[in-house]
Each structure stands twice: as structure tokens, then as C-alpha cells.
Amino acid sequence: MTEIQEGELWGRKASQRAALGARMSMPAWKTAIERTGITAGTKVLDLACGSGEFCAAAAEAGAKATGIDISPAMIALARQASAAEFHELPLGRLPWEDGTFDVVTAFNALFFARDPDEAFAEAVRVSKDYVVVCQWHPEIPSDLLVVGRAVRGTSGRRGATLPEPQEQLTIDIPLTQPDEATMLRSFLSVGSYQRIIESEGEEEVAEKIKAAVEPFRTPDGGYRFSNKYLMSLFRKSQAASTS
């Protein structure tokens, strides 16, 4: 699947995704802002920025934030919600000079690239200081991935081959939903679920989701999913010398 096709899938229910799932990553965003010292005047680039919530958080900290995403619908939402700068661009070769940004971030992003290694190398190139890569923890199971494997099967995506980071952090990313209807809207807004809806139909996919999430139902009829990110922080000189 091409990046443009992937962007179209994520854009189908972009507003729904932004409302019900995007802010799940807020603990990781706050950690990145704190660990890299984002403050007034910091230049930040967020790769595969989606509906722009991290850029908005960085801007609130005083940064001059820029985001890129391949989905026109996501970029449109981002521009409505934040005064940060947004561009409709794929991951890979970036149109900025070396060292343009103080901090470059990639939250569950690099595996969307045609060439994840190139995407990381470009993040290093345009960074003056920090590169932050945050992804699903490879060693600690996340409930959302358990559900995803039950419904969609195993993902064939690969991430970038990363050098040894300066620092690694495990970030708790819980997601709660108050009821079945909200839970379904949240899952069905994800691009990878939209892909299987094309072949199986939304009703069939919804039934599979309802069966897969049963272990995560709470006594009040809601749902709670425990998830873990692994955040890797690189400094420009260190990442460039070992990549």
C-alpha cells in the first residue's frame, strides 16, 4: 500500500479519530516536551503529525512548531486547531536544510514511510539537536495491539533500524471508552481498520472488534486498554555518528 493510499484511509474518519483517539498519546507528548526542553523559540518538526495535537502542545510551550502528514483531511483538521505550520508531505526526503529544527519528533510514525530508515536519517539531518522516536513497546504487550491482531491479523510493517539512543523511556498510554458505541467509533476511525472494512464490511468488522475487546470491558460497561510506548531520544551528534 502506498503512503497516499494509507493517508486516504486515515483521512476517511479524521474528525472522529481526532475526537476519540488522538489524545491518547498526550503522556508521550508531555514527556517529549519536558525531556528535550521545548520552550519559547524552540523550532520543532513533527513527522506524520495527524490532526496536529502534538504541534499544538509544543506551540503552547512556546515552540515554533511545524507538522507534516500525507493525509489532506488530517492536515485540514490540524490547521483548524492550531496556529502551527502544517504541510501535506510524505515521510522521506524533507524539503528543509540541515539543522533547521531544534527537535524532530516521530510518534508511531516511521513505519508509515516507504523507507523507514531514510525517514529516520532525514529526521537526523534536519535536526539541530534532538530526535525523538516513540513507538509501541516491542517487549511489553499493549491491549490495542492485542485487539488489532485478533481483528486484522499481524501487521507486516517494519520500523526504522535505530542506533543506540541516548535515553529510552517506557510511557504508559491508557485509553478508556465509556461505552460500546464510543469504543466502536474509536476503533473504526483507525486507518488499518478502514482497510479491512473495504473487504469485509463495517458490520462484520464491528462484530470482530466487540468480541476482541470483551476482556477489556469494565464493570460499568466501559472499556479500559493498557498500552505502552517506548520512547527513544537521540542527540544529533550521537545519532549521526552511529547511524
Side-chain angles (χ1 to χ4, degrees):
M1 177 170 293
T2 68
E3 289 175 85
I4 291 175
Q5 290 171 323
E6 191 83 53
E8 192 275 329
L9 290 175
W10 282 87
R12 288 181 185 176
K13 294 185 180 291
S15 296
Q16 194 167 300
R17 182 62 190 158
L20 298 177
R23 292 189 176 276
M24 179 185 75
S25 296
M26 183 60 77
W29 300 337
K30 288 182 176 179
T31 301
I33 289 170
E34 293 167 1
R35 280 294 204 276
T36 62
I38 291 174
T39 188
T42 306
K43 292 183 178 180
V44 177
L45 174 65
D46 188 32
L47 305 178
C49 66
S51 42
E53 288 82 4
F54 172 72
C55 286
E60 288 175 9
K64 178 177 172 54
T66 302
I68 68 166
D69 201 280
I70 193 60
S71 168
M74 287 291 186
I75 290 294
L77 280 179
R79 287 172 174 159
Q80 292 171 13
S82 172
E85 180 180 323
F86 296 99
H87 301 274
E88 188 182 319
L89 290 170
L91 298 177
R93 185 69 184 174
L94 299 171
W96 290 285
E97 295 180 359
D98 296 3
T100 297
F101 301 94
D102 299 300
V103 180
V104 179
T105 56
F107 297 96
N108 267 353
L110 296 180
F111 57 74
F112 286 119
R114 178 187 56 78
D115 183 342
D117 294 331
E118 179 189 45
F120 177 72
E122 279 292 280
V124 172
R125 182 184 67 79
V126 301
S127 169
K128 186 185 300 180
D129 193 356
Y130 279 100
V131 176
V132 179
V133 177
C134 195
Q135 53 201 346
W136 296 109
H137 202 294
E139 298 173 359
I140 304 176
S142 289
D143 294 343
L144 291 181
L145 297 188
V146 171
V147 174
R149 283 192 293 271
V151 177
R152 305 178 316 234
T154 303
S155 171
R157 292 188 174 122
R158 73 171 185 90
T161 302
L162 302 175
E164 188 70 24
Q166 182 191 47
E167 182 180 13
Q168 280 192 320
L169 302 164
T170 297
I171 313 290
D172 290 319
I173 309 290
L175 178 65
T176 59
Q177 301 292 0
D179 51 51
E180 184 179 271
T182 306
M183 176 276 297
L184 282 173
R185 290 200 307 273
S186 177
F187 273 97
L188 294 173
S189 68
V190 174
S192 52
Y193 286 90
Q194 284 293 307
R195 183 165 60 245
I196 63 169
I197 285 171
E198 290 184 341
S199 59
E200 299 184 16
E202 185 167 308
E203 184 174 342
E204 177 66 23
V205 174
E207 289 301 316
K208 288 185 176 181
I209 292 170
K210 285 191 283 187
V213 301
E214 191 59 33
F216 310 109
R217 185 189 290 269
T218 54
D220 62 0
Y223 299 84
R224 188 183 193 282
F225 304 96
S226 297
N227 308 287
K228 303 283 187 182
Y229 280 168
L230 181 65
M231 178 178 288
S232 301
L233 292 95
F234 306 89
R235 299 305 290 268
K236 173 60 180 284
S237 57
Q238 177 257 344
S241 65
T242 55
S243 61

